Amino acid sequence: MLSLSGLRLRFGAAEIIAGIDLHIGAGELVVLLGPSGCGKTSLLRIAAGVERATAGRVENGFRRVAMVFQDPRLLPWADARDNAAFGLKAAGMGKAERRTIAEAILLRLGFSAGDLDKRPSQLSGGMMQRVAIARAFALSPDLVLMDEPFSALDVGLRHDLQALLRAEVEGAGAAVLFVTHDVTEAVRLADRIVVFSPRPACVVADVTQAPMLASVGAAYEASAALLRRAEIAAALAPPGASPLALAGARERLSLAGKASAARR
Amino acid sequence: MLSLSGLRLRFGAAEIIAGIDLHIGAGELVVLLGPSGCGKTSLLRIAAGVERATAGRVENGFRRVAMVFQDPRLLPWADARDNAAFGLKAAGMGKAERRTIAEAILLRLGFSAGDLDKRPSQLSGGMMQRVAIARAFALSPDLVLMDEPFSALDVGLRHDLQALLRAEVEGAGAAVLFVTHDVTEAVRLADRIVVFSPRPACVVADVTQAPMLASVGAAYEASAALLRRAEIAAALAPPGASPLALAGARERLSLAGKASAARR
Amino acid sequence: MAVPARPLSPALLSAIWGMAGLLALAGAWQWGAMVFGPFVLPSLAETGEAVVRLVDSGKAGPALLATLVHALAGCAAGGAVGFLLGVAGGLAMPVGAMSYPVFTALLGTPPIAWVVLALLWFGPGGGAATFTVAITAAPILFIATLQGMRSRDRGLAEMAQLYRAPAFMRFTDLVLPALADFLIPALATALAFSFKVAVMAEVLSGADGVGGGIATARSHFDLPETMAWIVLAIAVLILADALLLAPLRRRRAGRGAPVPLSAEA
Amino acid sequence: MAVPARPLSPALLSAIWGMAGLLALAGAWQWGAMVFGPFVLPSLAETGEAVVRLVDSGKAGPALLATLVHALAGCAAGGAVGFLLGVAGGLAMPVGAMSYPVFTALLGTPPIAWVVLALLWFGPGGGAATFTVAITAAPILFIATLQGMRSRDRGLAEMAQLYRAPAFMRFTDLVLPALADFLIPALATALAFSFKVAVMAEVLSGADGVGGGIATARSHFDLPETMAWIVLAIAVLILADALLLAPLRRRRAGRGAPVPLSAEA
Amino acid sequence: AAPITSALAAPAKGLEILGAPNGSTIVLLRLLQSGALSASAPDATFRLWRDTDELRAAIVSGRTSLFTTPTHVPANLANRGLPLKLFAILSMGHLFVISSDASITSFKDLAGKELVGFFKNDMPDLVFRSIARGYGMDPDKDMTITYVRTPMEAAQMLAAGRATTAILSEPPATAAIMMAKKEGRTLNRAISLQDDWKKQHGGLGLPMAGIAVHERLIEESPELLKAMAAGLPGARDWVLSDPAAAGQLGEEKMDMKAPILASALSHFNVVAEPAAKLKPGLVAFYETLLSFQPEALAGKLPPDSFYLDF
Ligand SMILES: Nc1ncnc2c1ncn2[C@@H]1O[C@H](COP(=O)(O)OP(=O)(O)OP(=O)(O)O)[C@@H](O)[C@H]1O
Ligand SMILES: Nc1ncnc2c1ncn2[C@@H]1O[C@H](COP(=O)(O)OP(=O)(O)OP(=O)(O)O)[C@@H](O)[C@H]1O
Ligand SMILES: [Mg+2]
Ligand SMILES: [Mg+2]
């Protein structure tokens, strides 16, 4: 059980999180949706215990916590295999065993054998993201915090990993707190969808639903329906940012462009 | 006019790009789709002239080239405003003028005035991505290379920026080479969609279409149709990664999980 | 979980701790003086008296100024050469590979090898001391700069290349800030060495400055005065470090919590 | 655009350029010898003969070994202290803030201040030289390590904290590799200084080793022999640098093109 | 003068004799080599000190109680509280002005000349300045002195032709002359400072170097002092009569080249006199130092007990 109650966060004078309550139990997958810069990453970092809230309580009853950070956070001097095995090494597992496990997971995530020895600088963006995912799942965690974990993956991998994730939740009873910008992904995965307002973040919607992994069409319909709800649309697709309102702003941009062109 | 012909790339013994021809003219927006690790970023880097191909020709007739890299590549010691103004400074524009332009663009991209002074370490992932986008567009480039540029943005911003991008292509006649994993985004934006095979990359489909910004429903239909084409499905959503094939692999993963759990 | 009020700025706090460190050093000294007696280490009190005497007699001022000039001029000249060659070496492999063993050799060569040469070239009036300092500072800066160049972020360099940033802008906007992490410790090391080397070179070349004072005090077996000169020189060094390098360090720290150069995409 | 065949490994190529650099240094020396005459700078030939003489007579071996031992032992002992305090200082602000001015002061203090103390504690048989080397190496490593700790990637530290990596693993897997960029130049600087300081301390404290040889050669007014000793010491230094530090540098370079610590998400 | 108090004592154990790096040390070395001390200090060893720090460390740590030294060093240290006594004088001065300028033959010829000095503000410099004053010259105005640290560098610059005139001690003076000769240049021993000193001080010589002892040696090993007193004149005679052998001994034990030391010996004014006997000369010397730089002797004359007799 992870409980965040009355959570507030400030950086100096700026209020980032303005009072959030959130509770997740085992076997539950909660997706967080919210506009860019609203405080989702900050909330996850507080939940993980690597950031202190300005106010509020964090109670974490889970023992094995893993996190897929928004950036991969791989050791630049270690290869993919050793990076994926980091959590296992931290848990005290022997070298041969942890490497075997890390390899199996990486291969499962679409790595070829030749890529296991590559260092982060030799991996593509999506490959780095997969190493970070492998590192988290190698631990068979009971709480997984995931910050836009599939953002750099192709459709095939993304669907595959979504299924894998649901299996972990349903099979192993893991709890997952999942941040994404992809509303369809949210609908496919979530037992519950929590929508945040723009900064300072507070909860504008909390929707309990059945995950729609099975049907792509149903997921599309559900996500469209979600975005039609006024409070959610206001947070995620505010009218000010609709294509119709662009004309004036575009002028400003092309003006800027002209000025710079004149100088060249 | 950007022409890549007979492009090949190897890293040591590994072949990454296996002969690709690609031509883009002014006012054209070409989207590249392809599985993670297939060589899209590498191709963009070759087109940008920051990586040398092992074989093939690169002809670039555009004068002002900008690129949104897959990672933001911001100067950690400069604030958002100065980072966005980097290209203008490189082009020799004075301090006051380039800051005004950078500010205008950042505000247009959803920054609040207080965020302009923040350094990258104080920005969220999506905010960093927007600074990198602002840096590229400040130049009013005639060729823009974009590597998953909207991956960390919320739905509202993403739609907004898609519209803005089409406006640049249609209004200012810019050429855009755009990498994404979001098929719907590809369909909304592209004049042409080029699909790559898994590594070594070669072209498996080259679809000319009309961009479908206007209708979300139509874009969804078109992307579903695209993914139904056998050669595209094989590249982007191979059957091996379908949820149905997961059972066996999951066993391996949970096995791994058990082993690690035993150690704790 | 309210953050407790912090009445002291980090800079002040660190200065206070620094004082504490120096006090501990002084304590160790006093202990040594008591255990080993005045012919090994004079007491703090005796040395303090000698400091007062030197300052009052007006000898300290000009000598410290002379040493400061030798140290800073040598450090600046040598440091500039080392820095520029380090940058060049980072850009063009042969320059770095050629210079590296030369600088290592220079750093490892006892000054005996060129004391006479330096006297001939620069004369005894402090020129020799400045030269000796320069030849010490140059390799320190070179080695650090070269490593900094080798460790710099290729991603940012690629970005600058794409945006066709002119060479000078690349230097000021990319190279220099990225090198700061390497230059700060190298400059601190070079500055401290500059004072030591300047003093020793003054002793060797018979110049004025603190070294001249030390040579005289030593030939008089006036240990308190010898230590007084050293204490004065160290005080000026710590002051110079605080005035010249602390702003750099503060600026570096002002970048905020260090983050990877291009994180969190 | 086929990449041209590269017959030479980078390490070999850089060694060849290094030789070229040393040859250029030798050229400058020869030029100086011709211009200034044998009593300012002996010629290469004379010095070479003296080197052969020293090696043949069997004097060179033991002396070089003694100096090597003084330099390496001092460098290792002092370097370890500086490194550990630097790491501690990076973890706990007070430790770093307290130690910083103390190490600056130690670095800037002419050895005159503690030669007698060192002789008392460690005796004239090389112990004093080792101590003097240690007290020079410690601050160099400390300052660099402290900066390295301050520049380290908080993102990775956060990751390690989340995965509850034990302290020792954090040290070996995160801290140490990240510090490599700072330790490599600091170690190179400290090693070169160690040789110089060891030789000078041997000269002053009447120990054996190269410094003893130099003192004798100087009182014989035998300049070629003086320079021969120095050349031998430098040769051993460059060898030590190549054997001890080049592997570190190669390993660091082996990480491939340096990238930001967590790039391209 | 304080006579040596006799007491029953065992032979001195582990005695380490430190020799000053100047030529007169050869007398004490000869004494040791001749075996005259083997009864009273059977395992005595000899070592050169190169720096006063080394000397100070050795005295304070108790490793040495017997050493040769410039005469102002033990006086200074005694005044500062180290119980040292001056036992014997070995050299009556070994300071010269060496020049390639043949027109310099007397001190007054130095007027308007450039010269190189060493050990600024130390004893050789003070002696030179005192003599200059004696001739009514101001060493800072009537001539230009540039300083190097040690006589080695001064000799090097002379031999290299980079300086015309230098104040030098022996044996560097002889070394400079010999080195220059190899290069085909002639250097003259233009002025003997001890001669000028003697003229200015009514015939009292310049007692520059001698043997000093620590009080504990006097208490613990009076036999040793007796043996030294008995053997020193003979050692001196041996040195003076056989410079070649002395040079050889110096090369073995004192890091000096035999030919240089041998030919420098005649310029050394080697003696072997009890300190007490030369007290007037020493006092004159000390008073001169005091008049210039009282700190050079810690501000006062050493007590009477400082001058030992034998
Ligand atoms: N320096 C290198 N050395 C070896 N292999 C490399 C290197 N750089 C990239 N690669 C390989 O090249 C392939 C293509 O990488 P690239 O970054 O172009 O992929 P991508 O299509 O952009 O993938 P993604 O969608 O995950 O970003 C990857 O398999 C990667 O491992
Ligand atoms: N160290 C800091 N100092 C000041 N403000 C900060 C700092 N770190 C984060 N912020 C601010 O906190 C806000 C929330 O950041 P956070 O990374 O949590 O956003 P996010 O919801 O994850 O956004 P995204 O979807 O773009 O990743 C941002 O506006 C950011 O500018
Ligand atoms: Mg975020
Ligand atoms: Mg990519």
Side-chain angles (χ1 to χ4, degrees), chain C residues 40-160:
Chain C
V40 175
L41 212 54
S43 72
L44 284 183
E46 279 179 305
T47 307
E49 280 164 29
V51 167
V52 172
R53 215 161 48 234
L54 285 179
V55 173
D56 277 357
S57 69
K59 276 194 228 162
L64 284 171
L65 189 68
T67 298
L68 186 72
V69 168
H70 300 159
L72 289 189
C75 189
V81 169
F83 172 69
L84 292 177
L85 274 173
V87 170
L91 298 174
M93 188 282 277
V95 180
M98 257 182 92
S99 312
Y100 188 86
V102 174
F103 275 116
T104 304
L106 285 184
L107 205 49
T109 306
I112 298 171
W114 54 63
V115 163
V116 173
L117 208 62
L119 279 172
L120 285 183
W121 279 344
F122 303 100
T130 307
F131 171 76
T132 313
V133 171
I135 229 164
T136 307
I140 300 178
L141 267 287
F142 169 79
I143 292 175
T145 307
L146 189 64
Q147 183 65 44
M149 290 297 289
R150 287 184 178 157
S151 311
R152 93 205 114 111
D153 181 346
R154 297 282 152 103
L156 287 182
E158 221 170 60
M159 187 278 290

Side-chain angles (χ1 to χ4, degrees), chain A residues 45 48-50 62-63 65-67 69-77 86-87 89-90 119 121 123 125 128 132 135-136 139 152, chain D residues 154-156 158-166 169-170 172-175 177-178 254-265:
Chain A
R45 293 177 68 238
V50 295
F62 294 108
R63 277 175 55 242
V65 181
M67 180 160 176
F69 295 86
Q70 195 168 0
D71 54 324
R73 304 209 174 167
L74 306 180
L75 306 180
W77 42 82
F86 184 90
K89 185 174 182 188
R119 269 180 288 263
S121 65
L123 298 176
M128 284 196 261
R135 179 173 62 193
L139 270 180
Chain D
R154 298 281 153 103
L156 287 182
E158 221 170 60
M159 188 278 291
Q161 182 191 344
L162 182 102
Y163 284 108
R164 298 197 196 144
M169 178 179 165
R170 281 192 219 192
T172 56
D173 288 31
L174 265 84
V175 174
R255 281 186 208 166
V259 283
L261 294 196
S262 30
E264 295 196 310

Side-chain angles (χ1 to χ4, degrees), chain C residues 36 38-41 59 112 115-116 119-120 124 203-208 212 215-225, chain E residues 51-53 55-56 60 72-73 76-77 80-82 120-122 126 146-150 153 156-157 162 293 295-296 298:
Chain C
F36 296 106
F39 289 99
V40 175
L41 212 54
K59 276 194 228 162
I112 298 171
V115 163
V116 173
L119 279 172
L120 285 183
V203 170
L204 284 182
S205 68
D208 15 312
T216 304
R218 253 162 62 85
S219 63
H220 296 162
F221 291 95
D222 191 340
L223 253 66
E225 191 169 308
Chain E
D51 194 273
T52 48
D53 286 330
L55 180 64
R56 195 150 45 94
V60 171
H72 71 297
V73 170
N76 183 316
L77 286 173
R80 288 181 190 277
L82 262 190
K120 185 182 185 181
N121 286 332
D122 209 336
L126 297 179
T146 55
Y147 288 95
V148 294
R149 175 67 189 156
T150 66
E153 279 106 47
Q156 237 176 297
M157 288 174 75
R162 299 276 155 179
Q293 276 197 25
E295 306 90 341

Side-chain angles (χ1 to χ4, degrees), chain A residues 115 118 121-127 152, chain B residues 11 16 35-42 70 148 181 199:
Chain A
D115 291 336
K118 286 186 175 166
S121 65
Q122 303 169 307
L123 298 176
S124 80
M127 289 162 89
Chain B
F11 283 118
I16 307 297
S36 171
C38 75
K40 302 178 296 298
T41 297
S42 305
Q70 196 168 1
E148 310 185 21
H181 287 301
R199 191 180 62 191

Side-chain angles (χ1 to χ4, degrees), chain A residues 40-41 70 147-148, chain B residues 124-125:
Chain A
K40 303 178 295 298
T41 298
Q70 195 168 0
D147 202 350
E148 309 184 23
Chain B
S124 80

